[in-house]
């Protein structure tokens, strides 16, 4: 299946401002690129690198005045919904591969050390495995109310647990935190999510956040915000939490005047 | 100069408990190993790996009952104190190498996004460069009182700023956080610090924490706890904060019955 | 300075054939991208990855029939010629950074173990440093005759030394091999080389190969084929030799019907 | 099962000579360390690093005169022979993970581009998969005569195919080369091989070389020299060929006066 994804930012900056931009599909995995195009007005020379989590990053210095950055890509994704394997097991810590251990540790927005008691009280008696992770998603999906009002870019999972409100990133942070508190490796993921096979939300498209959980021998997608296995997901990156995977990390305060995101299924060629 | 470093832990565990241990000298850098020995009683088969920050880690599953883990090494370190270059410059964000950008971001114990106002108020008018970083160290060294009483393993730099109390790890967290809030890459470092050229403290040796700051084209050691350039420092690891570099990260609750750390200058051969 | 670079391949394949393509500017370094575009006809979904040398690679499965692959980019490069520092020193092996040691070892096309005697006989008495590397380039440039006739895709540096003939890749292989035989880290580099500030060659543009040599504390460009410090070089990748950096590594035998390469300075915006 | 492994080198050097030493068990995988000890006489301060293939390396500068380097370790290995899965499939190139592609390419001692015709003639009609790799091992084991006489440290797989003689490293190089010529990822491996469950050879113990082949979703051990699935193998490292995994790579010509290697099953504790 082909999906067209992309985004456009318009910034107004008073002084030249450096920024790291993460909007390109993640290197690894099932998504393959057919066409990709970056456009900047006025033209910005961007350097690229791959961060310590395997995410593609671009660095841009935004000039004073108004700047437009636009990324547009056509990608191929699997025709099927997020894979699942209900018998994928929770591994004992000693059986986890080295490289996933970092995702059992607390992080800025996922302080699993603080929520250990809550996690064990709520989910400690649920049988381990896929079902327990799904139970966490169900709980977060049911208990947290989606909305832009009662959230903050500095909200941690503790804040989300207290306010029971937030956006998709907050849902992901809370679910990641519960998993880690139970010693289940979980990471924050971020990307494009087209509305395929679901009722149109009617709201403007935005980037989406979800989580990936290590069960059995691989990472599996769980989406506590939508709590659905979806078709067409295009990951941009993943990391310990939203700090590591921000669409834009600006070193200074350029004003984001407008942002548009798109993720649309394309007709069969 | 030769230094003997090492540590011994005695654990009492009720159930088999997996743990990641970081006590070996860091791979890179000026420290070279002459002799190293691991001993465990009863014997524990340990796997080794290098984490995403370049630190050597060992994984051990501690059996029920009493276990002793002991690491002992003889290493060669430079004869001179922590290097300094007073004219090493703060780089503008666009001039920072890719791989240090992660150390400008907030982390679990170093929420530089929360302390941005404080950092700019306190240090925003100090001329950039080595002197500004030293000013941060001076401030933290003067304002925070060393002590084990008013601290907690969950204390963030915000807590340290409020309580003005903590151990070396808290001093490091606060100084790292101020640097990052000013867009200066800073990382948490952890290791052995022999008492060479300083008055003996008279207290039992412990692991030490300090920070490394990227100025000019390399990382430089700053030690807000002692606020001295010291001879004989043996780094074990570094990371975004203490989460990434813990002497022991246990998956469960074995009881640490006793811990001994040593770091002693050796007589010339 | 802005340079437009790119290439177009037309393949005729009898069966579906997998290939790894390396034609995008290298991630690190002084080149920054303004605009990049991939086009394939019929459309090919390509996955991307970064290889162990830091090169960007794309994987494509070319369908039976005729396929066109086209990459086009506008990049910004320094206005100045390849940097040089005549006093950059040859380091003793014990002073080399860990990560460059691999470039002192023999490789498929650069069997420095076989040419050790030749290298020491020819260059052993030349004073070490930048001048010695330049002497190697002068020698290779003077002794080897450029031409497509007496060369082979399997030619090693030994073959080049014997035949004294080859294309830019052969020049690079021989110079790299001499450096390594003297324990000087040297790697093969590959990219676009516009004709800026030099007489137009009048021949169709092609990819170019040169070498990078580690002196002092960084890698420096040397170009034994042209033996000039040039403006506008756009590296695609580097590796131990041409095996690691091929524009196309096909798993099977699709026929390359046509190849066009461009690298042109652009008018000032 | 516990195995004691180690080695001792005595070098006589005329001038100070730098060397990279690879004799410690590989980080990843099934082998876990119980005890490890390095001893050098006179004492040599060694730095450690992990190379691009994941192998642990030590760097030592050997002083003029006689030096002894000794490594001794007690490790735990699986009780069972090298795992096998007869239905592990050969993957089509497009299905290979990115990180194994490098092991389909020719290298210094494994010029699979030169032996493509031989490989296809000999093994092209054998059904793909585990059986084909075993057929390659059987052929190499049967056709090549073991011996130290007709071999050279510069022998490539082409030389081995011509002379039909060599040591374990030559057996491994030829088998690796045949696999790669058929697009099967294969890498050279090197380590300790105790004589467990086999008739004692009666010859002094030495390091051993074998190969690892990527089938299905992982690497599998094949040993064309012994052509047996063995118990107790302790890998030190792996790479593209013996260049990447040498017990000692010396930058200069210290004379190896004596070498002793041990690999012995230990009694049950």
């Amino acid at each position: 299946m082909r999906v067209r994804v992309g985004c456009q930012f318009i910034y107004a900056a008073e002084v030249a401002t450096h920024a790291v931009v993460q909007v390109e599909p993640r290197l690894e995995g099932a998504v393959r690129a057919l066409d990709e195009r970056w456009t900047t007005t006025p033209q910005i020379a961007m350097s690229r690198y791959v961060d310590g989590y395997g995410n593609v990053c671009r660095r841009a210095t935004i000039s004073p005045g108004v700047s437009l950055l636009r990324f547009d890509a056509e990608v191929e994704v699997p025709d099927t919904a997020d894979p699942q394997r209900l018998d994928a097991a929770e591994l004992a810590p000693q059986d986890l591969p080295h490289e996933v251990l970092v995702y059992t540790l607390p992080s800025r927005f996922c302080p699993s050390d603080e929520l250990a008691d809550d996690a064990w009280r709520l989910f400690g008696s649920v049988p381990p495995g896929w079902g327990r992770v799904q139970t966490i998603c169900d709980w977060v999906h049911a208990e947290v109310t989606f909305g832009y009002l009662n959230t903050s870019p500095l909200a941690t999972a503790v804040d989300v647990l207290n306010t029971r409100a937030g956006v998709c990133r907050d849902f992901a942070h809370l679910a990641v935190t519960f998993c880690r508190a139970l010693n289940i490796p979980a990471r924050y993921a971020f990307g494009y999510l087209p509305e395929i096979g679901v009722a149109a939300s009617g709201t403007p498209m935005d980037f989406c956040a979800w989580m990936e959980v290590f069960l059995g021998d691989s990472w599996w997608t769980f989406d506590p915000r939508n709590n659905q296995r979806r078709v067409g997901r295009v990951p941009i990156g993943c990391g310990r939490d939203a700090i590591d995977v921000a669409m834009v990390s600006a070193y200074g305060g350029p004003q984001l005047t407008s942002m548009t995101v798109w993720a649309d299924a394309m007709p069969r060629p």
Side-chain angles (χ1 to χ4, degrees), chain A:
Chain A
M1 167 173 293
R2 292 185 180 180
V3 178
R4 187 167 175 189
V5 295
C7 57
Q8 178 177 300
F9 304 121
I10 299 179
Y11 274 104
E14 297 195 1
V15 295
T17 307
H18 193 63
V20 177
V21 184
Q22 294 183 58
V23 298
E24 297 173 59
R26 188 165 162 76
L27 289 176
E28 307 289 332
V31 172
R32 294 183 299 163
L34 289 150
D35 197 355
E36 294 173 67
R37 178 140 219 177
W38 265 100
T39 321
T40 49
T41 312
Q43 275 195 314
I44 302 174
M46 292 190 281
S47 56
R48 298 163 298 152
Y49 71 101
V50 177
D51 71 15
Y53 302 95
N55 305 317
V56 183
C57 304
R58 297 222 165 201
R59 298 175 66 170
T61 300
I62 298 167
S63 301
V66 173
S67 293
L68 178 148
L69 291 81
R70 180 186 167 93
F71 173 71
D72 191 30
E74 194 181 325
V75 302
E76 192 171 275
V77 298
D79 286 329
T80 48
D82 300 322
Q84 63 181 338
R85 204 173 68 207
L86 300 179
D87 62 350
E90 265 184 55
L91 298 184
Q94 58 267 31
D95 296 326
L96 292 171
H98 304 317
E99 64 273 18
V100 312
L101 289 179
V102 69
Y103 297 108
T104 62
L105 300 176
S107 66
R108 171 75 183 95
F109 293 131
C110 301
S112 46
D113 39 9
E114 283 194 57
L115 291 193
D117 289 346
D118 293 280
W120 285 100
R121 180 175 49 78
L122 289 167
F123 311 109
S125 61
V126 179
W130 186 282
R132 177 142 74 169
V133 177
Q134 186 55 56
T135 302
I136 291 171
C137 290
D138 293 343
W139 192 94
V140 171
H141 182 71
E143 292 287 326
V144 180
T145 304
F146 184 86
Y148 289 90
L149 283 184
N150 288 307
T151 185
S152 140
L154 299 188
T156 69
V158 174
D159 299 322
V160 178
L161 183 61
N162 289 334
T163 63
R164 302 283 163 108
V167 295
C168 56
R169 124 195 186 122
D170 299 303
F171 285 72
H173 281 156
L174 183 55
V176 162
T177 305
F178 282 145
C179 288
R180 291 185 191 164
L182 302 171
N183 293 333
I184 308 171
R187 63 188 186 192
Y188 177 89
F190 165 80
Y192 301 95
L193 180 59
E195 294 181 331
I196 298 174
V198 295
S201 65
T203 57
M205 185 71 71
D206 197 351
F207 292 104
C208 290
W210 56 85
M211 74 168 173
E212 293 179 7
V213 178
F214 196 86
L215 294 171
D217 59 1
S218 56
W219 291 100
W220 303 91
T221 295
F222 288 85
D223 181 346
R225 159 70 179 100
N226 296 295
N227 212 19
Q228 295 168 320
R229 305 208 79 71
R230 290 278 286 265
V231 177
R233 213 177 283 272
V234 178
I236 291 170
C238 64
R240 292 167 74 167
D241 59 35
I243 289 287
D244 296 330
V245 217
M247 59 185 198
V248 177
S249 303
Y251 291 88
Q255 196 186 341
L256 181 59
T257 306
S258 127
M259 179 177 89
T260 317
V261 180
W262 52 94
D264 302 300
M266 298 180 72
R268 297 268 149 205

Short mmCIF file of all heavy atoms in Angstrom, two decimals, chain A residues 147-196:
data_model
loop_
_atom_site.label_atom_id
_atom_site.label_comp_id
_atom_site.label_asym_id
_atom_site.label_seq_id
_atom_site.Cartn_x
_atom_site.Cartn_y
_atom_site.Cartn_z
N GLY A 147 -7.05 15.54 25.02
CA GLY A 147 -7.36 16.96 24.90
C GLY A 147 -6.10 17.78 24.99
O GLY A 147 -5.11 17.36 25.58
N TYR A 148 -6.13 18.93 24.35
CA TYR A 148 -4.96 19.79 24.31
C TYR A 148 -4.93 20.74 25.50
O TYR A 148 -3.95 21.42 25.74
CB TYR A 148 -4.92 20.58 23.00
CG TYR A 148 -4.61 19.72 21.81
CD1 TYR A 148 -5.61 19.11 21.07
CD2 TYR A 148 -3.27 19.50 21.43
CE1 TYR A 148 -5.32 18.30 19.99
CE2 TYR A 148 -2.97 18.70 20.35
CZ TYR A 148 -4.00 18.11 19.62
OH TYR A 148 -3.69 17.32 18.55
N LEU A 149 -6.02 20.79 26.27
CA LEU A 149 -6.11 21.82 27.30
C LEU A 149 -5.25 21.52 28.53
O LEU A 149 -4.44 22.33 28.95
CB LEU A 149 -7.57 21.99 27.73
CG LEU A 149 -8.41 22.77 26.72
CD1 LEU A 149 -9.82 22.99 27.24
CD2 LEU A 149 -7.73 24.15 26.44
N ASN A 150 -5.46 20.35 29.09
CA ASN A 150 -4.79 20.06 30.36
C ASN A 150 -3.46 19.37 30.16
O ASN A 150 -3.14 18.42 30.86
CB ASN A 150 -5.70 19.18 31.23
CG ASN A 150 -6.85 19.99 31.76
OD1 ASN A 150 -6.65 21.04 32.35
ND2 ASN A 150 -8.06 19.50 31.52
N THR A 151 -2.69 19.82 29.20
CA THR A 151 -1.40 19.18 29.01
C THR A 151 -0.34 20.25 28.88
O THR A 151 -0.63 21.43 28.72
CB THR A 151 -1.41 18.25 27.79
OG1 THR A 151 -0.15 17.58 27.75
CG2 THR A 151 -1.61 19.02 26.51
N SER A 152 0.91 19.82 28.99
CA SER A 152 2.03 20.75 28.94
C SER A 152 3.19 20.04 28.29
O SER A 152 3.33 18.83 28.42
CB SER A 152 2.40 21.17 30.37
OG SER A 152 3.80 21.24 30.54
N PRO A 153 4.04 20.76 27.58
CA PRO A 153 5.20 20.09 26.98
C PRO A 153 6.16 19.52 28.03
O PRO A 153 7.03 18.74 27.69
CB PRO A 153 5.86 21.19 26.15
CG PRO A 153 5.29 22.47 26.62
CD PRO A 153 3.95 22.17 27.21
N LEU A 154 5.99 19.91 29.29
CA LEU A 154 6.87 19.40 30.34
C LEU A 154 6.19 18.31 31.18
O LEU A 154 6.76 17.83 32.14
CB LEU A 154 7.33 20.54 31.26
CG LEU A 154 8.13 21.67 30.62
CD1 LEU A 154 8.66 22.61 31.69
CD2 LEU A 154 9.30 21.11 29.80
N ALA A 155 4.99 17.89 30.77
CA ALA A 155 4.27 16.90 31.57
C ALA A 155 4.99 15.56 31.53
O ALA A 155 5.30 15.03 30.46
CB ALA A 155 2.85 16.74 31.03
N THR A 156 5.22 14.99 32.70
CA THR A 156 5.76 13.63 32.78
C THR A 156 4.61 12.65 32.95
O THR A 156 3.45 13.05 33.14
CB THR A 156 6.68 13.47 34.00
OG1 THR A 156 5.88 13.55 35.19
CG2 THR A 156 7.72 14.59 34.04
N ALA A 157 4.94 11.37 32.93
CA ALA A 157 3.91 10.35 33.14
C ALA A 157 3.26 10.51 34.51
O ALA A 157 2.08 10.19 34.68
CB ALA A 157 4.52 8.96 32.99
N VAL A 158 3.99 11.00 35.48
CA VAL A 158 3.39 11.24 36.80
C VAL A 158 2.31 12.31 36.70
O VAL A 158 1.20 12.16 37.25
CB VAL A 158 4.48 11.67 37.82
CG1 VAL A 158 3.85 12.05 39.15
CG2 VAL A 158 5.50 10.56 38.00
N ASP A 159 2.61 13.36 35.95
CA ASP A 159 1.60 14.41 35.75
C ASP A 159 0.37 13.84 35.03
O ASP A 159 -0.77 14.17 35.37
CB ASP A 159 2.19 15.56 34.94
CG ASP A 159 3.38 16.21 35.64
OD1 ASP A 159 3.35 16.34 36.88
OD2 ASP A 159 4.36 16.55 34.95
N VAL A 160 0.63 13.03 34.02
CA VAL A 160 -0.50 12.48 33.25
C VAL A 160 -1.35 11.59 34.15
O VAL A 160 -2.59 11.62 34.11
CB VAL A 160 0.02 11.69 32.03
CG1 VAL A 160 -1.15 11.08 31.27
CG2 VAL A 160 0.86 12.59 31.14
N LEU A 161 -0.70 10.80 34.99
CA LEU A 161 -1.46 9.94 35.91
C LEU A 161 -2.31 10.79 36.85
O LEU A 161 -3.44 10.43 37.18
CB LEU A 161 -0.48 9.07 36.70
CG LEU A 161 -1.12 8.06 37.65
CD1 LEU A 161 -1.99 7.06 36.89
CD2 LEU A 161 -0.05 7.33 38.45
N ASN A 162 -1.79 11.94 37.25
CA ASN A 162 -2.54 12.80 38.16
C ASN A 162 -3.68 13.54 37.48
O ASN A 162 -4.79 13.60 37.99
CB ASN A 162 -1.59 13.81 38.82
CG ASN A 162 -0.68 13.12 39.82
OD1 ASN A 162 -1.02 12.07 40.37
ND2 ASN A 162 0.49 13.68 40.05
N THR A 163 -3.40 14.11 36.30
CA THR A 163 -4.43 14.91 35.63
C THR A 163 -5.39 14.06 34.81
O THR A 163 -6.48 14.50 34.48
CB THR A 163 -3.79 15.94 34.68
OG1 THR A 163 -3.10 15.23 33.65
CG2 THR A 163 -2.82 16.84 35.42
N ARG A 164 -4.93 12.85 34.44
CA ARG A 164 -5.74 11.96 33.58
C ARG A 164 -6.11 12.65 32.26
O ARG A 164 -7.20 12.40 31.72
CB ARG A 164 -7.02 11.49 34.30
CG ARG A 164 -6.76 10.75 35.61
CD ARG A 164 -6.29 9.33 35.35
NE ARG A 164 -5.67 8.74 36.55
CZ ARG A 164 -6.22 7.78 37.30
NH1 ARG A 164 -7.39 7.29 36.97
NH2 ARG A 164 -5.58 7.30 38.34
N ALA A 165 -5.23 13.51 31.78
CA ALA A 165 -5.53 14.22 30.55
C ALA A 165 -4.25 14.39 29.74
O ALA A 165 -3.15 14.45 30.29
CB ALA A 165 -6.12 15.60 30.85
N GLY A 166 -4.42 14.47 28.42
CA GLY A 166 -3.25 14.70 27.62
C GLY A 166 -3.46 14.39 26.15
O GLY A 166 -4.57 14.04 25.72
N VAL A 167 -2.38 14.54 25.38
CA VAL A 167 -2.42 14.22 23.95
C VAL A 167 -1.72 12.88 23.75
O VAL A 167 -1.29 12.23 24.70
CB VAL A 167 -1.75 15.35 23.13
CG1 VAL A 167 -2.56 16.64 23.26
CG2 VAL A 167 -0.32 15.57 23.58
N CYS A 168 -1.59 12.46 22.48
CA CYS A 168 -1.10 11.11 22.23
C CYS A 168 0.27 10.89 22.86
O CYS A 168 0.56 9.79 23.34
CB CYS A 168 -1.08 10.80 20.73
SG CYS A 168 -0.12 11.95 19.74
N ARG A 169 1.07 11.91 22.91
CA ARG A 169 2.38 11.77 23.53
C ARG A 169 2.27 11.44 25.00
O ARG A 169 3.05 10.65 25.54
CB ARG A 169 3.19 13.04 23.25
CG ARG A 169 3.73 13.76 24.40
CD ARG A 169 4.18 15.17 23.99
NE ARG A 169 4.82 15.80 25.11
CZ ARG A 169 6.07 16.27 25.11
NH1 ARG A 169 6.79 16.21 24.01
NH2 ARG A 169 6.60 16.80 26.17
N ASP A 170 1.29 12.03 25.67
CA ASP A 170 1.09 11.76 27.10
C ASP A 170 0.59 10.33 27.33
O ASP A 170 1.00 9.66 28.27
CB ASP A 170 0.12 12.78 27.67
CG ASP A 170 0.65 14.21 27.53
OD1 ASP A 170 1.74 14.49 28.02
OD2 ASP A 170 -0.03 15.02 26.87
N PHE A 171 -0.33 9.90 26.47
CA PHE A 171 -0.78 8.51 26.54
C PHE A 171 0.42 7.56 26.41
O PHE A 171 0.56 6.59 27.17
CB PHE A 171 -1.77 8.20 25.41
CG PHE A 171 -3.15 8.75 25.59
CD1 PHE A 171 -3.42 10.11 25.46
CD2 PHE A 171 -4.23 7.91 25.87
CE1 PHE A 171 -4.71 10.63 25.59
CE2 PHE A 171 -5.52 8.41 26.02
CZ PHE A 171 -5.76 9.77 25.88
N ALA A 172 1.26 7.86 25.44
CA ALA A 172 2.41 6.98 25.22
C ALA A 172 3.35 7.00 26.42
O ALA A 172 3.82 5.96 26.88
CB ALA A 172 3.15 7.40 23.94
N HIS A 173 3.61 8.19 26.95
CA HIS A 173 4.52 8.29 28.09
C HIS A 173 4.02 7.48 29.29
O HIS A 173 4.79 6.79 29.95
CB HIS A 173 4.70 9.76 28.51
CG HIS A 173 5.65 10.51 27.63
ND1 HIS A 173 5.61 11.88 27.48
CD2 HIS A 173 6.67 10.09 26.85
CE1 HIS A 173 6.56 12.26 26.66
NE2 HIS A 173 7.21 11.20 26.25
N LEU A 174 2.73 7.55 29.55
CA LEU A 174 2.22 6.83 30.72
C LEU A 174 2.30 5.32 30.51
O LEU A 174 2.74 4.57 31.40
CB LEU A 174 0.78 7.27 31.02
CG LEU A 174 0.16 6.64 32.27
CD1 LEU A 174 1.02 6.87 33.52
CD2 LEU A 174 -1.26 7.20 32.51
N ALA A 175 1.94 4.87 29.32
CA ALA A 175 1.98 3.42 29.06
C ALA A 175 3.42 2.91 29.07
O ALA A 175 3.72 1.84 29.61
CB ALA A 175 1.30 3.11 27.73
N VAL A 176 4.34 3.66 28.46
CA VAL A 176 5.76 3.29 28.48
C VAL A 176 6.25 3.16 29.93
O VAL A 176 6.95 2.21 30.30
CB VAL A 176 6.60 4.33 27.71
CG1 VAL A 176 8.07 4.23 28.08
CG2 VAL A 176 6.39 4.20 26.21
N THR A 177 5.85 4.12 30.74
CA THR A 177 6.32 4.16 32.13
C THR A 177 5.82 2.94 32.91
O THR A 177 6.58 2.32 33.67
CB THR A 177 5.85 5.46 32.79
OG1 THR A 177 6.30 6.56 31.99
CG2 THR A 177 6.42 5.60 34.20
N PHE A 178 4.57 2.60 32.72
CA PHE A 178 4.05 1.40 33.41
C PHE A 178 4.82 0.15 32.97
O PHE A 178 5.18 -0.69 33.78
CB PHE A 178 2.55 1.23 33.11
CG PHE A 178 1.64 2.15 33.90
CD1 PHE A 178 0.48 2.67 33.32
CD2 PHE A 178 1.93 2.48 35.23
CE1 PHE A 178 -0.38 3.49 34.05
CE2 PHE A 178 1.07 3.32 35.96
CZ PHE A 178 -0.07 3.83 35.37
N CYS A 179 5.04 0.02 31.68
CA CYS A 179 5.79 -1.16 31.20
C CYS A 179 7.17 -1.23 31.85
O CYS A 179 7.57 -2.28 32.38
CB CYS A 179 5.94 -1.12 29.68
SG CYS A 179 4.41 -1.43 28.78
N ARG A 180 7.89 -0.12 31.80
CA ARG A 180 9.25 -0.14 32.36
C ARG A 180 9.24 -0.46 33.86
O ARG A 180 10.13 -1.15 34.35
CB ARG A 180 9.93 1.21 32.13
CG ARG A 180 10.24 1.45 30.68
CD ARG A 180 11.03 2.75 30.51
NE ARG A 180 11.12 3.11 29.10
CZ ARG A 180 11.47 4.31 28.67
NH1 ARG A 180 11.77 5.27 29.54
NH2 ARG A 180 11.54 4.56 27.37
N ALA A 181 8.22 0.05 34.55
CA ALA A 181 8.14 -0.22 35.99
C ALA A 181 8.00 -1.72 36.25
O ALA A 181 8.37 -2.21 37.30
CB ALA A 181 6.99 0.55 36.60
N LEU A 182 7.46 -2.44 35.26
CA LEU A 182 7.32 -3.89 35.37
C LEU A 182 8.50 -4.61 34.71
O LEU A 182 8.43 -5.81 34.46
CB LEU A 182 6.01 -4.33 34.70
CG LEU A 182 4.71 -3.70 35.25
CD1 LEU A 182 3.54 -4.06 34.35
CD2 LEU A 182 4.46 -4.16 36.68
N ASN A 183 9.55 -3.88 34.39
CA ASN A 183 10.74 -4.45 33.73
C ASN A 183 10.49 -4.92 32.30
O ASN A 183 11.21 -5.77 31.79
CB ASN A 183 11.34 -5.60 34.55
CG ASN A 183 11.91 -5.12 35.86
OD1 ASN A 183 12.31 -3.95 35.99
ND2 ASN A 183 11.96 -6.00 36.84
N ILE A 184 9.47 -4.38 31.67
CA ILE A 184 9.20 -4.69 30.26
C ILE A 184 9.78 -3.55 29.42
O ILE A 184 9.39 -2.41 29.57
CB ILE A 184 7.68 -4.79 29.98
CG1 ILE A 184 7.01 -5.75 30.97
CG2 ILE A 184 7.43 -5.19 28.54
CD1 ILE A 184 5.47 -5.72 30.89
N PRO A 185 10.73 -3.85 28.51
CA PRO A 185 11.33 -2.78 27.70
C PRO A 185 10.27 -2.10 26.84
O PRO A 185 9.50 -2.77 26.15
CB PRO A 185 12.35 -3.51 26.83
CG PRO A 185 12.60 -4.81 27.51
CD PRO A 185 11.32 -5.16 28.21
N ALA A 186 10.22 -0.78 26.89
CA ALA A 186 9.23 -0.03 26.12
C ALA A 186 9.88 1.26 25.65
O ALA A 186 10.63 1.89 26.38
CB ALA A 186 8.00 0.27 26.98
N ARG A 187 9.58 1.64 24.41
CA ARG A 187 10.13 2.88 23.90
C ARG A 187 9.04 3.72 23.25
O ARG A 187 8.01 3.21 22.80
CB ARG A 187 11.29 2.61 22.94
CG ARG A 187 10.93 1.86 21.70
CD ARG A 187 12.20 1.47 20.92
NE ARG A 187 11.86 0.87 19.64
CZ ARG A 187 12.72 0.24 18.85
NH1 ARG A 187 13.98 0.12 19.20
NH2 ARG A 187 12.33 -0.28 17.69
N TYR A 188 9.31 4.99 23.22
CA TYR A 188 8.39 5.97 22.66
C TYR A 188 8.61 6.01 21.15
O TYR A 188 9.75 6.02 20.68
CB TYR A 188 8.73 7.32 23.28
CG TYR A 188 7.93 8.50 22.79
CD1 TYR A 188 6.74 8.86 23.40
CD2 TYR A 188 8.40 9.28 21.74
CE1 TYR A 188 6.03 9.98 22.97
CE2 TYR A 188 7.69 10.39 21.30
CZ TYR A 188 6.50 10.74 21.92
OH TYR A 188 5.81 11.83 21.49
N ALA A 189 7.52 6.01 20.39
CA ALA A 189 7.62 6.07 18.93
C ALA A 189 6.76 7.22 18.42
O ALA A 189 5.80 7.63 19.07
CB ALA A 189 7.19 4.76 18.29
N PHE A 190 7.11 7.67 17.24
CA PHE A 190 6.56 8.93 16.74
C PHE A 190 6.53 8.82 15.22
O PHE A 190 7.44 8.25 14.61
CB PHE A 190 7.52 10.02 17.20
CG PHE A 190 7.41 11.35 16.55
CD1 PHE A 190 6.42 12.25 16.93
CD2 PHE A 190 8.32 11.74 15.58
CE1 PHE A 190 6.34 13.50 16.32
CE2 PHE A 190 8.25 12.98 14.98
CZ PHE A 190 7.25 13.87 15.35
N GLY A 191 5.44 9.28 14.59
CA GLY A 191 5.40 9.17 13.14
C GLY A 191 4.10 9.67 12.55
O GLY A 191 3.38 10.47 13.16
N TYR A 192 3.82 9.17 11.36
CA TYR A 192 2.61 9.52 10.62
C TYR A 192 1.62 8.38 10.76
O TYR A 192 1.99 7.21 10.69
CB TYR A 192 2.93 9.71 9.14
CG TYR A 192 3.96 10.79 8.86
CD1 TYR A 192 5.30 10.48 8.70
CD2 TYR A 192 3.56 12.12 8.73
CE1 TYR A 192 6.24 11.47 8.44
CE2 TYR A 192 4.49 13.12 8.46
CZ TYR A 192 5.83 12.79 8.31
OH TYR A 192 6.75 13.77 8.05
N LEU A 193 0.35 8.72 10.91
CA LEU A 193 -0.68 7.69 11.04
C LEU A 193 -1.87 8.06 10.17
O LEU A 193 -2.73 8.85 10.59
CB LEU A 193 -1.10 7.55 12.50
CG LEU A 193 -2.16 6.50 12.80
CD1 LEU A 193 -1.70 5.13 12.35
CD2 LEU A 193 -2.48 6.48 14.29
N PRO A 194 -1.94 7.52 8.97
CA PRO A 194 -3.08 7.84 8.09
C PRO A 194 -4.36 7.21 8.65
O PRO A 194 -4.31 6.24 9.41
CB PRO A 194 -2.69 7.19 6.76
CG PRO A 194 -1.69 6.14 7.10
CD PRO A 194 -0.99 6.59 8.34
N GLU A 195 -5.48 7.78 8.27
CA GLU A 195 -6.78 7.25 8.73
C GLU A 195 -7.26 6.24 7.70
O GLU A 195 -8.00 6.59 6.78
CB GLU A 195 -7.76 8.40 8.93
CG GLU A 195 -7.33 9.30 10.08
CD GLU A 195 -8.28 10.45 10.36
OE1 GLU A 195 -8.95 10.90 9.39
OE2 GLU A 195 -8.36 10.90 11.50
N ILE A 196 -6.80 5.02 7.84
CA ILE A 196 -7.16 3.96 6.91
C ILE A 196 -7.97 2.93 7.68
O ILE A 196 -7.51 2.42 8.70
CB ILE A 196 -5.90 3.30 6.31
CG1 ILE A 196 -5.10 4.33 5.52
CG2 ILE A 196 -6.27 2.12 5.44
CD1 ILE A 196 -3.77 3.81 5.02
#
